[in-house]
Every structure is written in C-alpha cells, then in structure tokens.
Amino acid sequence: MFLSNKLFIRMTLYTLILLPVLQLSNARTSKCQETETKLEKILSACAQYCDSLKEARLHFTCTEEIEERIYHPFITIRIDSFRTYKREVNKYIYDYQLIKEGDKITERRILLKEQGKDKYEEDSDLKTQRFDYRFVINGPIGVIDRDWQQHFEYKIIGNDVINKKRTIVLEACPKSSSPIEHIFGRIWVDSNDFSILKIEGNQASLGNYESVKKIAEELNAVPHIKLCSEYFYEKNGIRFPSNYTIEEMYKSGPRILTKSRLAVTYKDYKFFTVETSVKYGE
C-alpha cells in the first residue's frame, strides 16, 4: 500500500511537471502552423500582385531626377580659411520609359538636364558614377514573383505603418542552391491589398558588391550599404516607384565613413491605358 501511494505521488508530480510543457509545445506547434498558413496566403497574394504588375508596368512614362553625392575623404580643399573634404555633386533629369520589343524589355532614357543645364540626349546612358541601377519598377517581381519564390526563404518579421498604410514586413533570403541575381532583403507588403510599398535590399545583392568589398579592404573597414526602393505612387491598384536610394558607408570601429549617396526621385507620371483589374486571395 505504501509503495502504491509513493508511485501514485510520483506519477502525479510528473504529470504536473510535464503537462504545462506539453501544452506549451502544442501551443507553439499550433502557432507555427498558423504563421506558415498566413505566410503562404501572403506569398500567394503577392504573386498575384506581381502578375498584374507585369502587365501594367509598360504603360507609362515619368521624370527621373537623380542626385549623386560622392565624398573624397582623403582629399581636402580650402574654402576661405577653412579646409574641408572634397565633395562631388552630380545632378541629372531624365525622361524615363520602358520599351518592349517582342519578349525583350529595355529602359529608355532621354537626358533633359545635366548639372542644372538643359540637354536633350536621346537613348542616353545612365551617367551615375558610383552605382549603376536598372529596372527599379521590377523590384517586387525579382524578390517575390511567383517564379522567384522557389529561390527564396521567407519569414514574417513584424508589422509596420509606412506612408499611412498598415504593412506586413517579410524577410527574403536566397536559398543556398539558388543564384543571387535579384535584390533580396526586407519587403513591406500592404496588409489590405498585398501590393509592395517598400523594399530594403541586403547589401550583398548589389550587382557590384565585389568592388564594394575591395574598397572596404583598402579602408580596413566593413561595408555598410543601405538600399531602399519605395513604391508610393499608385494607379489602378498597381504601385510604381517613387524613390530609390543607395547610401554607401564603411564602418571602421566607431567611425563611419560615408563614401557616396544616390537619391532618385520618380514623378510626373503619364499613363497610357492601365486597365489592370487586380483581385487578391482567390
């Protein structure tokens, strides 16, 4: 009788200890399944949005204003009685349009102004010196399009409010077996219609990141590059670029050296027939 009572007490104690652990484990499993289901729905809706973006992106022209600031930290100049680091500022204004020829899509720029002076150069090259960028409008397609989703791992990392819109913040990282050919990083998805409002790119997704690493080695520093695409201009449920920035910095101990800053503004959109009907979650 004594042994039976002792065994009963032990079993009761084990139950009291293990039951909360099992309940917590089940709750975590349920929460993970709920999060995975939510993520699948978000990715499906974002893929549908990218399908619509592909159809609508060719039907506009806009003005592309560029300001590029390049800092030369090892070259000083004298201004009056002061010495300061040399700084170079380049400004350009383009008329911008995407051109489709068969299955090929290209960018077309007409240079309208350079350094504040009127110009007119058809089929002009992009004249930025530090960074070359292309197809900002394709940012969402390259990181969360239906075909590209198989190359990335996604997770929900939070919620945010930007441009007065409630958003879900995702993080996309390339799978080890997949090539890195597009920007990847954090994505701000509109909670209401699943359009893409903002992308903050990981610096490793820069096309010329190898040259960035070489500069960092020469400076005995760590690269700290910030890339950001914003899509705040909306037309018929589709979002078009409003801003694109690249801030090039290098960190050495407590010191942060700014090498360049590129700021691109898209405005004065002129649309031709954008009749896309967007439906989500079906």
Side-chain angles (χ1 to χ4, degrees):
M1 185 69 178
F2 176 75
L3 290 175
S4 297
N5 287 339
K6 192 173 182 180
L7 181 60
F8 174 76
I9 291 171
R10 284 183 178 177
M11 292 179 65
T12 302
L13 288 174
Y14 289 151
T15 301
L16 291 174
I17 293 170
L18 291 175
L19 185 59
V21 175
L22 291 173
Q23 289 175 336
L24 180 60
S25 178
N26 290 336
R28 287 177 175 173
T29 300
S30 177
K31 184 67 175 178
C32 287
Q33 291 175 343
E34 180 182 335
T35 300
E36 288 178 3
T37 300
K38 181 180 179 181
L39 180 58
E40 288 176 2
K41 290 181 178 179
I42 293 170
L43 293 176
S44 177
C46 287
Q48 292 182 52
Y49 169 76
C50 288
D51 290 342
S52 299
L53 174 58
K54 289 177 184 177
E55 296 299 321
R57 61 185 170 171
L58 299 176
H59 303 286
F60 74 92
T61 63
C62 70
T63 300
E64 181 184 47
E65 293 188 358
I66 300 172
E67 181 178 282
E68 180 185 43
R69 292 178 177 267
I70 303 173
Y71 303 91
H72 301 276
F74 304 115
I75 302 175
T76 60
I77 58 175
R78 182 178 295 278
I79 300 178
D80 296 329
S81 59
F82 298 95
R83 296 191 69 83
T84 185
Y85 292 121
K86 182 180 178 182
R87 180 180 65 183
E88 181 180 349
V89 180
N90 301 312
K91 295 184 178 182
Y92 313 98
I93 297 179
Y94 294 92
D95 180 79
Y96 173 88
Q97 186 178 9
L98 292 181
I99 304 296
K100 183 175 182 180
E101 297 176 353
D103 293 331
K104 184 180 179 181
I105 298 174
T106 58
E107 293 179 312
R108 180 173 183 255
R109 288 180 171 89
I110 300 174
L111 180 61
L112 302 178
K113 283 191 176 185
E114 182 175 359
Q115 305 295 59
K117 297 181 180 180
D118 289 341
K119 290 258 187 175
Y120 190 86
E121 293 182 11
E122 292 190 357
D123 298 319
S124 175
D125 291 329
L126 190 61
K127 296 193 175 187
T128 54
Q129 296 183 31
R130 291 297 303 156
F131 292 98
D132 185 15
Y133 63 93
R134 302 288 175 182
F135 298 101
V136 174
I137 191 172
N138 284 355
I141 296 172
V143 76
I144 206 164
D145 174 65
R146 191 182 312 278
D147 293 333
W148 275 98
Q149 285 185 15
Q150 63 183 314
H151 298 291
F152 292 94
E153 297 284 357
Y154 301 89
K155 63 179 178 180
I156 300 172
I157 60 173
N159 297 281
D160 198 2
V161 177
I162 59 170
N163 200 37
K164 299 181 180 180
K165 300 283 187 181
R166 293 185 179 274
T167 63
I168 304 161
V169 186
L170 305 180
E171 186 167 53
C173 295
K175 296 178 180 178
S176 58
S177 59
S178 297
I180 303 174
E181 296 183 4
H182 290 276
I183 192 170
F184 62 88
R186 296 188 173 185
I187 312 160
W188 278 253
V189 180
D190 191 311
S191 300
N192 182 49
D193 64 9
F194 299 98
S195 60
I196 310 304
L197 277 81
K198 179 180 174 180
I199 299 174
E200 281 189 359
N202 185 298
Q203 63 182 9
S205 64
L206 273 171
N208 58 342
Y209 188 56
E210 289 302 317
S211 65
V212 167
K213 290 197 294 185
K214 185 175 180 180
I215 292 172
E217 290 175 2
E218 293 172 353
L219 296 173
N220 193 26
V222 177
H224 189 64
I225 315 296
K226 294 182 179 179
L227 304 89
C228 182
S229 308
E230 295 176 332
Y231 302 88
F232 295 161
Y233 197 102
E234 185 269 338
K235 178 72 172 179
N236 291 355
I238 299 298
R239 294 192 168 275
F240 296 84
S242 54
N243 300 283
Y244 177 72
T245 58
I246 301 179
E247 193 167 7
E248 179 189 10
M249 298 177 289
Y250 299 88
K251 187 174 182 180
S252 179
R255 185 187 179 203
I256 296 180
L257 171 69
T258 300
K259 176 65 177 173
S260 69
R261 188 177 191 278
L262 176 69
V264 184
T265 302
Y266 297 90
K267 61 182 185 180
D268 300 329
Y269 277 89
K270 296 180 178 64
F271 292 91
F272 305 102
T273 53
V274 182
E275 302 295 343
T276 303
S277 176
V278 185
K279 297 181 181 180
Y280 303 98
E282 294 185 354

